[in-house]
Amino acid sequence: QNFVLTGSFAKGKKHWESQIESQGGNIQSSVGKTTNYLIQEFGKNDGSPSEKELKAAKYGTKVISISDLEKLL
């Protein structure tokens, strides 16, 4: 599974990247055709979709929260 993280997280991106990689997942720097999940902390933006969110919509990438990621792992 391929993951992209966007925004800031209470435990930091590196923490979540290592959690994903320890379970066999891959970290990508940007959303593309092979991205399975875009992980973001909801409620932290100004209401306008980010570039990564727009790409996720274009490619049909599932957008999930950290709590959703915890359930996946």
Side-chain angles (χ1 to χ4, degrees), residues 1-71:
Q1 298 286 321
N2 297 310
F3 297 83
V4 173
L5 286 86
T6 187
S8 59
F9 301 92
K11 293 183 180 180
K13 280 186 185 178
K14 294 290 181 199
H15 168 80
W16 293 110
E17 289 173 352
S18 65
Q19 293 293 310
I20 290 166
E21 290 172 337
S22 73
Q23 298 296 315
N26 299 308
I27 303 299
Q28 298 177 315
S29 59
S30 62
V31 176
K33 293 178 188 176
T34 62
T35 307
N36 301 101
Y37 297 98
L38 172 62
I39 302 146
Q40 68 177 25
E41 191 153 4
F42 290 105
K44 297 288 184 179
N45 65 16
D46 63 3
S48 302
S50 69
E51 181 180 336
K52 289 179 181 177
E53 289 174 291
L54 293 172
K55 281 187 176 181
K58 176 182 175 181
Y59 293 120
T61 302
K62 190 168 186 175
V63 180
I64 63 172
S65 67
I66 285 294
S67 61
D68 293 329
L69 175 63
E70 289 176 313
K71 292 172 190 169

